[in-house]
Amino acid sequence: MNEKFKGIFPALLTPFDESNRVNTKVLEELVDYNLKKGVDGFYVGGSTAEAFLLTDEERLLVMKTVSGRAKGKCTLIAHIGCISTAQAIRLAKAAQEMGYDAVSSVAPFYYKFSFNEIKKYYFDIVDAVELPMLIYNFPAFSGVNLTVDNIKEFLNDDRFIGVKHTSNDYFALEQFKAAYPDKLVYNGYDEMLLAGLSMGADGAIGSTFNFMAEKFIKIREMMAKNDLTGARKIQKEANIIIQALCKVGVMQGEKAVLDALGFDFGPARAPFASLTEAQKKELLDVVMPLL
Ligand code: MN9
């Protein structure tokens, strides 16, 4: 059953129109573009989608738009994480109605909840819906580090299918996989996919996959054939791009790249600042020749 969850999953970005509304048409175009490249699925409504800068109604619209376009064509995971349990359950129930294959959530953050509170948050969600849950561990942004021992308290339950590990602690990634070989571990930092795969990741969820999924699909194929030299060459090329994105702001930069590729993507939502023309030029000069 876990086979369909393995592979390369773009964490979809959210396009906005001139009035700062979610641009569903461009989102559909982005979905089609990536399906054509052969991605295995989509991670919908995550950090990369600016989830915490969207209203719940906008998050539902994003989920609906993607499922309407991609359902039946690939695997769909909805990130429904909120810091309120009730709000997260509302989104999770909607994901179930829309036909998503799984839900995922970052740990509730900001109030420094105890681990027991965090644990109850996740169990309340899986008790409320039939969909399996993928834990999203992202200590750098959420401020909550779910340790290997913490994660084990979830993975012992069948309803938890695995963990999206956005952390450069690759020892922890290896420890999850060693303890639970049948559960899923997704690599979270695209610039270290090679490391993640070599330590046992089943696939990856990433923001730069929005516009260069083919590179990561190839890295995964090469690693499966033990072609480390080939995989390294592509990772190196991708990392020149990611380094340029990090310099200007990853999400803003990715949107500028998609604009340059012909998608009417618009800027990231405030307080994210728009890129200056000089920043755009500096970025695109590095990125476009490598795509
Ligand atoms: O989902 C992504 N994390 C965020 C994972 O966007 C916060 C990554 O794909 C990074 O954006 C990427 C660049 O650091 O690896």
Side-chain angles (χ1 to χ4, degrees):
M1 111 79 156
N2 277 350
E3 277 315 303
K4 69 173 183 187
F5 286 104
K6 296 184 178 172
I8 296 298
F9 284 57
L12 289 169
L13 288 152
T14 305
F16 297 111
D17 67 18
E18 326 67 66
S19 312
N20 199 17
R21 284 178 308 219
V22 173
N23 191 333
T24 54
K25 186 175 152 278
V26 175
L27 184 54
E28 286 176 345
E29 288 166 10
L30 182 67
V31 166
D32 291 349
Y33 177 72
N34 277 286
L35 283 174
K36 228 178 270 160
K37 290 185 180 185
V39 300
D40 300 283
F42 291 109
Y43 191 80
V44 182
S47 319
T48 302
E50 299 174 68
F52 300 111
L53 298 170
L54 302 179
T55 65
D56 282 2
E57 300 322 309
E58 288 174 321
R59 290 178 68 172
L60 291 168
L61 177 62
V62 165
M63 281 159 55
K64 184 94 204 152
T65 304
V66 178
S67 64
R69 200 71 174 185
K71 183 139 185 54
K73 299 180 180 154
C74 68
T75 301
L76 294 174
I77 306 172
H79 174 260
I80 51 81
C82 296
I83 66 171
S84 144
T85 301
Q87 239 174 310
I89 288 177
R90 179 172 171 243
L91 296 181
K93 284 187 169 163
Q96 179 165 312
E97 268 166 39
M98 292 176 201
Y100 276 79
D101 297 287
V103 289
S104 179
S105 177
V106 74
F109 52 90
Y110 191 79
Y111 290 110
K112 300 207 178 298
F113 299 110
S114 68
F115 179 65
N116 278 338
E117 289 166 330
I118 292 172
K119 192 173 165 187
K120 178 135 186 353
Y121 164 90
Y122 281 105
F123 277 90
D124 283 346
I125 298 170
V126 296
D127 283 344
V129 292
E130 313 273 296
L131 294 181
M133 166 69 79
L134 176 73
I135 303 277
Y136 179 13
N137 192 23
F138 191 4
F141 275 23
S142 67
V144 181
N145 182 25
L146 297 172
T147 64
V148 176
D149 284 342
N150 291 157
I151 299 276
K152 286 183 178 174
E153 295 200 28
F154 298 110
L155 296 191
N156 285 332
D157 186 303
D158 281 351
R159 295 169 297 175
F160 291 85
I161 48 173
V163 54
K164 161 164 151 48
H165 182 72
T166 308
S167 154
N168 44 30
D169 183 349
Y170 283 95
F171 180 33
L173 185 153
E174 186 274 338
Q175 293 284 292
F176 297 143
K177 200 62 201 174
Y180 298 92
D182 297 332
K183 300 267 177 171
L184 299 157
V185 182
Y186 289 93
N187 186 75
Y189 283 128
D190 313 353
E191 54 275 39
M192 293 181 273
L193 176 61
L194 192 59
L197 290 174
S198 61
M199 293 298 263
D202 300 290
I205 293 169
S207 69
T208 67
F209 307 172
N210 277 277
F211 65 88
M212 53 170 174
E214 62 283 5
K215 292 196 197 301
F216 298 96
I217 291 172
K218 231 187 257 162
I219 290 175
R220 191 162 171 267
E221 282 168 2
M222 286 174 159
M223 287 299 279
K225 286 188 289 187
N226 287 324
D227 178 6
L228 182 59
T229 309
R232 235 174 166 168
K233 187 164 166 270
I234 302 172
Q235 181 78 68
K236 197 170 165 189
E237 197 176 272
N239 287 5
I240 297 171
I241 294 173
I242 296 175
Q243 166 68 18
L245 288 169
C246 289
K247 218 167 149 193
V248 297
V250 172
M251 256 122 60
Q252 302 96 305
E254 289 168 345
K255 288 184 166 191
V257 171
L258 283 157
D259 266 326
L261 288 172
F263 295 89
D264 186 9
F265 232 84
R269 199 165 252 184
F272 279 123
S274 294
L275 299 189
T276 63
E277 286 310 312
Q279 280 177 315
K280 261 186 217 169
K281 185 176 181 317
E282 190 188 342
L283 173 71
L284 297 178
D285 282 351
V286 175
V287 176
M288 299 315 276
L290 294 174
L291 292 183

